[in-house]
Amino acid sequence: MLQIHENKDLSEYSSAVTGIDDPRVVESIGSDGEKTGYAVYSYTDNMVYIYRCEYGTDIYLCDGILRAVMFKAYLRGIKKAQCEACSQGQNLFEKLKYPCNSQMQIESIDSFFNECKKCKEMN
């Protein structure tokens, strides 16, 4: 079973968090206990900024990591998300076809989760 949780020890990520105010990291851990991916992000009062997401070649893992970051922000009362993370020159929100504006921002995290067709199909 995959687990995604926050890692408060940022020593392993020193180069990835340089220049970010109050950086945070979530890691994905596979059933074998090995780290399979991570995201670097930070919060402001009304926005979560996602700076980096590493997920190997598993785009579904990328989706899960990004959603975990946005859900954590949502639980803090944060309404918006902005992605600066890219893969092969393409913004990850764009790559995953998330509904975002030209600045790669999701205007409403709540609407994002409530209007997700794939999520509704699973219910």
Side-chain angles (χ1 to χ4, degrees):
M1 173 186 248
L2 178 72
Q3 298 179 36
I4 299 175
H5 62 87
E6 187 167 0
N7 182 348
K8 298 196 185 270
D9 178 6
L10 303 181
S11 59
E12 180 181 347
Y13 301 98
S14 60
S15 64
V17 301
T18 301
I20 300 172
D21 290 334
D22 194 24
R24 297 168 184 270
V25 172
V26 292
E27 295 177 326
S28 60
I29 308 296
S31 57
D32 59 0
E34 294 294 317
K35 181 174 62 172
T36 58
Y38 70 92
V40 176
Y41 63 101
S42 68
Y43 299 125
T44 62
D45 289 340
N46 65 346
M47 181 95 67
V48 58
Y49 293 90
I50 303 168
Y51 300 101
R52 185 172 185 162
C53 184
E54 297 294 331
Y55 54 93
T57 59
D58 187 346
I59 196 68
Y60 295 109
L61 176 60
C62 176
D63 180 56
I65 293 169
L66 294 177
R67 287 172 184 271
V69 169
M70 288 190 286
F71 187 69
K72 288 174 68 59
Y74 173 78
L75 291 176
R76 294 174 65 103
I78 294 172
K79 308 281 188 229
K80 299 180 181 184
Q82 179 170 329
C83 185
E84 298 180 13
C86 293
S87 174
Q88 299 171 334
Q90 187 176 22
N91 183 285
L92 292 178
F93 278 7
E94 182 179 43
K95 185 175 191 134
L96 289 163
K97 297 181 178 25
Y98 286 179
C100 57
N101 62 26
S102 61
Q103 287 83 34
M104 296 301 132
Q105 294 177 348
I106 292 175
E107 295 292 328
S108 170
I109 294 172
D110 184 45
S111 291
F112 172 79
F113 284 120
N114 285 323
E115 295 175 10
C116 176
K117 287 182 183 180
K118 288 183 181 176
C119 295
K120 285 184 177 183
E121 289 171 5
M122 295 176 78
N123 289 329

